[in-house]
Each structure stands twice: as structure tokens, then as C-alpha cells.
Amino acid sequence: MKVKVISRSTDEFTRERSQDLQRVYHNYDPTLRPQEKAVEYVRALNAAKLEKIFARPFIGAMDGHTDGVSCMAKNPNYLKGLFSGSMDGDIRLWDIANRKTVCQYPGHQGAVRGLTVSTDGRILVSCGTDSTVRLWNVPVATLTESDDSSDNSAEPLAVYVWKNAFWAVDHQWDGDLFATSGAQVDIWNHNRSQPVNSFQWGTETVISVKFNPGEPNVLATTASDRSIVLYDLRMSSPARKVIMRTKCNSISWNPMEPMNFTAANEDCSCYSYDARKLDEAKYVHMGHESAVMDIDYSPTGREFVTGSYDRTIRIFQYNGGRSREIYHTKRMQRFLHSLVYFIYLISSVLIETWFL
Amino acid sequence: MDELVYSVEKLNTEVRETVRDVVFLHNELFFAAAQKKYPYIYNRDGTELHCLKEHGAVLKLQFLRNHFLLASINKSGHLHYQDVTMGEMVGNFRTGLGRSDVMQVNPFNGVIALGHSSGTVSMWKPTTSAPLIKMLSHQGPISALAFHPNGHLMATSGKERKIKIWDLRKFEVLQTLPGHAKTLDFSQKGLLASGTGSFVQIFGDLSGSQNYSRYMGHSMAKGYQIGEVLFRPYEDVLGIGHSTGWSSILIPGSGEPNFDSWVANPFETSKQRREKEVRTLLDKLPPETIMLDPSKIGTVRQARKKEKPTKEEREAEMEAAVEDVKSITMKKKTKGRNKPSKKAKKKQELVVKAKRPFLEQQMKEQALSKKKQKTREDVELPSSLQRFARKKTT
């Protein structure tokens, strides 16, 4: 009887020359790989973590302003265009794709506090601490692309001087009215040098103002007396008011569900409200470690981005209590009121740009 | 195996004290030895790297390769799990079943089995302080324990001269073999080696129906006391450790002939070994993945039970059934028996018949809820006060 026993010769199982590849043998018997399912699970988890570590959300910095950037606005008709205003009164139009200044708008004395673009994308409205509202012509997109010459400056279409310094401005989504805030809320028309309407509730400074994207006559403001006030332009007086425990620095409407808005509060969290039911917040978004300075919704209305005094940017789900993503870099500083974050979400690819 | 024994020999000459057990860590460069007072970790050259004082006087050591856990059972019956990558003590449990020097890890799911002097086998995982399973398997103390590499078979031997083979899916005895075994081991191909005194026996599942019968036997020179038998993986070799050293014998058909270079490579170069170390460290499993049924990992939890239909839904269903009955056209009967009144009566009967199952269901549920309420009422009063409760007028 012949009995066979395993015997392996080294020559058979190793490479002949040192330049050869190592020989590889496979045996797919599951008993050789115990707990394979758990191992695969851990591998998938590690791969997801590594992908997050190596993701690079920072696209690039745009250099040019000589002082801190205080406000930004995006052009609703031309996604490559981005306006920014700085503390020294300088307003620039940027081409995000090329990261270059397309146009400069000199004129403001003192800080620019608010920027907004009309719905058709033709007119830029700016306001500042020098108590002026300036209207500017936005160059047509095709022209700016063909024009590769150095920075060209523009003259304002109109300059309206008013009684007090301004803190914020927002344009109606559908119409030609815009609202400024400061000591009171003023509603302006493009063609008139005086506000067409003024609202006041209390004597405190109104910090931010935002028009409702669905209902063109409704706007929300936050004031330094810790209040959030809703206005309706068809009525002569403010509509609703909520007093919070701490001040709200900024407010943003959900563009897809325009009855909902989210307020960025000093107490490190954001509060989402239903405008029809202001007695309690629908969601509280926690996570920041310092006052939330600004907030902006993504065009899909599913997420929003917040910037905080703790030098981080966070992305929240519209209904999520905790942030989905945190970004921070060394260069981000604690600029009080002057750092405004801005985000584009284009088909789930995150293009993010921040200014210092 | 050769190397292990070689190291132990060398160690014995070096440490000059009892070494109760040795176990390799994730590769052949490191091994742990359970010595008189504490377990120690040595490298290949015999240099002491660590002294694991928290484990105490350890009787038996096991290493969980996928989890990088070193498990030990000490003299006072404490089971310790230590993560050898970070040195963290993952688990420290009092077995409460006395001194035990029989410990084996199930390679299939990483569960550790301990054999106790009461004849019970207990199975442990590092995340719970109570045993997963406690099974009374022998009348007397358990002397040895071994797991089949596929994890479904376990062999135990007791001092009452019986070897039992268990099916771990049903926790039932498959087979009881006569004879005593001081040590047991399964080979990669499923042969079972048992050693007692100076005699080694090999049992084999020769028919393929999980019916183990004697395959080979080997008797050593008289007076040799066998301490441990261990199959060498990927070789047809059985190593026997006994009172005067160690021997190895050939057992044809015991080892896996085809190795996988990515799992265990007998011809591994040092570069490949280094790469493998990094890869296995990346794939290190958390201790929570040790469970009796590892196929649960990566599955979705079953959906909740279907909710009861609401009242409206139930009514709509009943309505539909009634409509169905009503729309049946009656057969024409012979003259005189085809009266419209009879037809209407018949139809009415059918409607009642269609409604009945729904109404019965409703009644049953009502009765059930009433019963529940009743029991709740009963629960509210302590038994001593129930005699003062108002008698129900029914």
C-alpha cells in the first residue's frame, strides 16, 4: 500500500531568481479564514474612515482684499460669480473658477456691511456703516469671460444717503424691493432715494434681514434685543415677534420649504422654526463650541452650513441635531461679525471657498 | 510547532522555573509564556519584553488572532482578556467555577471555552461578565477540550473515561467514544488526536457522516507521560510533548495540503511577514465581534412585527367582503321555487356569513383587552390588601 504524506520542496514554492515575482497560491476554504464577515466589515469601515481623512474640502483661497471680509453674496443667475465686501469699503466680484477678481466697486467709506443681488442678477445693492446704500451694475457674464484685462472698476448706478448706519441688506426674491436693517428696517425701491416703508419694533439695532423665498412680501429679522421678528410688507406694522434667551446673529430661510427658517444663535446652537408656529423651535442644532456667527442654506434645502466664533464650519442636516461635517484650518481666525461663510452645493460635490 | 517547542526548551533552560503554557502571538517573532507567578512576553531571541502582572499565576493561555487578544485563566479562576496591540485590559471576569486548566478558543467565532472540574464547559466572550453557555458535559472533571476548525464540532474528555463529540449548532452529543484523554486536538482536515499516558490515538471521520472511529494509534516507550498533542498546520505531522521532551509522528491526511499565501505562507519572506503584520493590524476586529453566531455581523435587523390593522381598515375589509357576496348572481331555480323573497333571504344569509369571521375576530380582541385590563387591576393591589377590594357585581 502506498501512503501519501504532504511534502513540499522549497524550489517548487519559491521564486527562482530574485527578480521574479513571489509565487502566490490561493485556497478559498472558509475554515482557513475565520470570521471573514467581521473582517470585511472592519475593512469597509476603515476604508470609509480613510476616505474621510483624505478628502479635501478646501478648494482654494482667493487673495486680494486688504482688510477682513465682512459680507458676501452670490449671483443667482451666474454661479461662478461671487461678490464680497470688506471692512475697508472695497467690494469685489470674483470668478470662482479662475479665482480672480473680475470687477471692483470702490466708493464706500468705512465697512461694507451688506451685499445682495437682485433676482435677475443685473443689480448689486450694497450698504455700509457710512449710511449709504449704493446700487451697482453687474457686468454681463459673457463679457467678463472674454475680458481678460486687469481689474476694471465700476461706477455706482445710484447712491442713497440715509440717516443711520446699516447692518444688513436683502433683496426680494421676486420683485424690485430690497430691505435694509440698522436702527430700523427700511424697505427700498430701486428708483427712489428714500425708503418706501419703514418698520420699527423697539429701539434696538436690527442685525440681519432675510426675505422669504416663497412669499415675496414676508421677511424675517433678528435684532440685538434677542428677538426674531417677522414682517409682512402688505401690513403697516410687524407681524410676529419671538424673544430668545440670547441674541441671534443671523437667519436663513429654507429655500425648498419656505415656511421654515433657521436662526444662528449666540448660545452655540441653531434653532429651526416653522414661521406659522413660533411658540417652539422645530429642531435645535447643537455642536458648535462658541457663538454661531452666520448661516446659509444649500439650494436643495436639505442641509445648511454654519460658521462660528470657534473657528469651525459645520454642515447640518435640516432636521439633524448634530453636525454632519466639521471643517477647520489653521488660517481661520476669530473675526467678530466679519467672517461670513459661503457654500455651493452642486450635485453633491462640495465646492467650498473661504476668505480671511 | 517545532519552533514553539524549541523556544520552550530554551526558555526552560533560561528561566529556571515552571512554564505552564506557551502561545505564539500574531507571528512567530513573539510568544507569551505562563510562568510560575506571571505570564511574560518574549521575542524570538528569548528576550523578555513584557511581564503581565495583572494576569496572576496563569495556568493556560490562548491568543485570538483576529482580535489580537491574549486570553488567560489563572489559578483563582479569573479569565483575563488583554489587547496586545495597545496593552489595554479588555475583560477581567471571575468564572466562579473554580480552578480550571482546560481552555480552548473556538476558531470559528472567537468564543473561549473553559472546562471545569464539575464537568461543565462554559463559553465566554470579552464583553459580558456572565458565560454565554454553561453545559454539563461530563460526570467527572473535564480533562481536555478541542474545537474542529469549522467551529461546529467540539470534543471533550472527562476523567470518567469518556470522550464526547458535540454538535455546537444544537449543543447535543453526536458521539461518545470510550477511553480517557489527557489532551485532545483536531487537525485542519478534521482528524482528532487524543493522548493519554504514553499512548496516542487518532480518530477519523472516515465515512464523512460525523461518525468518528479509530484511524491510527501510536504507543511511545513505556514510562513517557504525554502532556500535549498538537497537529502542525499545513503538514501531516503531529507533535507530542511528553515527560522527556517532544517527538513528532506522521499522520497521513491530517494537514491542509493547499495553503493560501495571504493567510499563512510556510515559505514567507521577512518582507512578506512585515507587510502581513501591518495588514492584520489594520483588520484587527473589535472585541464586540466575538459572538456565538458570527454570521449575524453585517446583516440587517429584522423589521418590527406588522402592526394591527386600524378600525377603519378592518371595516373597509368587511365592507369589501360584503360587497363581493352581494354581487353574486343567484342561479335561477325551477318554477315556484324562484321567489324573490327567498332570494333576498338567501342573500341576507350569505352577507351574515361573510361578516362573521370579522365580527368573531373583533370579539376575540375585545375579550383579550378586557382580560388584560382585569389582570392589570389585579396587579395594582398587593395580595394582603386584596380582601378589602370591592367585590365585583357580575
Side-chain angles (χ1 to χ4, degrees), chain A residues 332-351:
Chain A
M332 286 159 74
Q333 299 295 317
R334 289 181 168 154
F335 275 83
L336 196 63
H337 287 296
S338 63
L339 197 62
V340 179
Y341 296 97
F342 171 79
I343 193 161
Y344 276 138
L345 280 165
I346 305 166
S347 66
S348 84
V349 180
L350 198 71
I351 299 175

Side-chain angles (χ1 to χ4, degrees), chain A residues 199-224:
Chain A
F199 294 103
Q200 200 162 11
W201 189 337
T203 55
E204 295 296 327
T205 314
V206 182
I207 304 167
S208 74
V209 57
K210 281 283 159 68
F211 268 101
N212 188 317
E215 186 60 58
N217 288 323
V218 174
L219 68 150
T221 62
T222 64
S224 57

Side-chain angles (χ1 to χ4, degrees), chain B residues 286-304:
Chain B
E288 292 81 31
T289 54
I290 298 177
M291 52 181 83
L292 273 181
D293 182 12
S295 61
K296 266 185 196 160
I297 296 169
T299 53
V300 181
R301 196 196 294 161
Q302 286 226 328
R304 288 276 191 85

Side-chain angles (χ1 to χ4, degrees), chain B residues 23 25-26 36 58 117 170 172 259 270 332 346 360 382:
Chain B
V23 69
L25 301 189
H26 56 282
K36 195 177 173 191
V58 165
S117 54
K170 294 190 279 183
E172 274 177 10
F259 63 88
S270 59
K332 282 199 172 159
K346 181 97 190 191
E360 268 173 4

